[in-house]
Amino acid sequence: MREFSAAFQTELMELLKWRRDVRHFKTDPIPLDLLQKCLNAFQTSPSVGLSEPWRIVRITSPERRAQALDNFTIANADALRGYSDERAKTYASLKLSGMRDAPEQLAIFCDESTLKGAGLGAQSMPEMRRYSVVAAIMNFWLVTRANGLGLGWVSILDPEQLRRDLDVSNDWALVAYLCVGWPEHETLTPELETVGWETRAPEITLIEK
């Protein structure tokens, strides 16, 4: 069995801690070979039935980027109306997307109709395909961080509108809209914790049955 040194284990935990959701990006481009190197992390990820259901759309068109940004702006305004008083004030002050600056933007879909894997493991729990995509995104996220890049996951979007704007198959379900680039600054503390939106639990609680 492959064994990893104590030093490597420590470095791995440091990587996990430094994996932050980035919303403040420099506009400097990412070399395409570096982006591809990070994307190769998808191929190392587990997937139900070896279905590899992830579908990655690299958004480079200014028109489609503008549509995605408009999508976010509308969804963000709708979300703000769900809060009041201090929560609304804090929400309005948050920067919840790096879409204006991030040099690379990726829409990650799950192909719900894929024939790869022959449905193994997904017949009783078809959502396992989407979980597989999430696991692959985390691999990608960690590799981007290890290479000095930052990643921001934008979830304040209308997924159906984005799917239509990108003109992809109706069988593809949006899992994530990712902004990737060089972070303006680095911190171990999540921004939502810094501004007092929420606090992180001090430890994991096990529920025993």
Side-chain angles (χ1 to χ4, degrees), residues 39-59:
L39 286 169
N40 289 343
F42 273 81
Q43 298 304 111
T44 70
S45 181
S47 62
V48 63
L50 199 57
S51 57
E52 299 181 320
W54 42 80
R55 304 292 180 263
I56 305 170
V57 179
R58 183 183 180 215
I59 304 166

Side-chain angles (χ1 to χ4, degrees), residues 166-186:
L166 294 179
D167 193 25
V168 299
S169 169
N170 291 339
D171 293 325
W172 291 14
L174 181 69
V175 175
Y177 191 99
L178 306 179
C179 295
V180 187
W182 308 103
E184 281 192 347
H185 57 267
E186 299 183 356

Side-chain angles (χ1 to χ4, degrees), residues 19-25 96-99 102 104-106 108 137 140-141 144 149-155 157 176-181 183:
R19 180 226 49 82
R20 296 266 59 86
D21 192 299
V22 175
R23 294 154 192 168
H24 302 268
F25 293 97
L96 297 173
S97 153
M99 297 167 75
E104 293 291 341
Q105 298 182 33
L106 308 169
I108 314 296
I137 290 170
F140 174 63
W141 202 335
T144 60
L149 295 168
L151 183 149
W153 187 325
V154 182
S155 60
L157 292 165
Y177 191 99
L178 306 179
C179 295
V180 187

Side-chain angles (χ1 to χ4, degrees), residues 70-83 91 96 156:
D70 287 345
N71 187 328
F72 165 79
T73 301
I74 294 169
N76 195 43
D78 287 343
L80 175 59
R81 285 190 283 272
Y83 299 103
Y91 185 94
L96 297 173
I156 306 170

Side-chain angles (χ1 to χ4, degrees), residues 67-180:
Q67 288 174 324
L69 181 58
D70 287 345
N71 187 328
F72 165 79
T73 301
I74 294 169
N76 195 43
D78 287 343
L80 175 59
R81 285 190 283 272
Y83 299 103
S84 59
D85 303 325
E86 284 303 309
R87 274 289 193 185
K89 183 178 179 181
T90 303
Y91 185 94
S93 71
L94 296 173
K95 181 176 174 58
L96 297 173
S97 153
M99 297 167 75
R100 294 185 185 278
D101 302 315
E104 293 291 341
Q105 298 182 33
L106 308 169
I108 314 296
F109 293 88
C110 175
D111 184 353
E112 304 282 13
S113 65
T114 182
L115 298 179
K116 196 171 190 299
L120 191 155
Q123 295 186 19
S124 58
M125 293 181 65
E127 64 270 24
M128 287 301 297
R129 294 192 184 95
R130 296 192 193 190
Y131 298 160
S132 298
V133 176
V134 172
I137 290 170
M138 184 54 67
N139 277 16
F140 174 63
W141 202 335
L142 292 173
V143 172
T144 60
R145 180 77 286 256
N147 282 274
L149 295 168
L151 183 149
W153 187 325
V154 182
S155 60
I156 306 170
L157 292 165
D158 178 339
E160 288 304 308
Q161 185 61 54
L162 184 69
R163 185 186 56 73
R164 289 191 294 270
D165 288 341
L166 294 179
D167 193 25
V168 299
S169 169
N170 291 339
D171 293 325
W172 291 14
L174 181 69
V175 175
Y177 191 99
L178 306 179
C179 295
V180 187

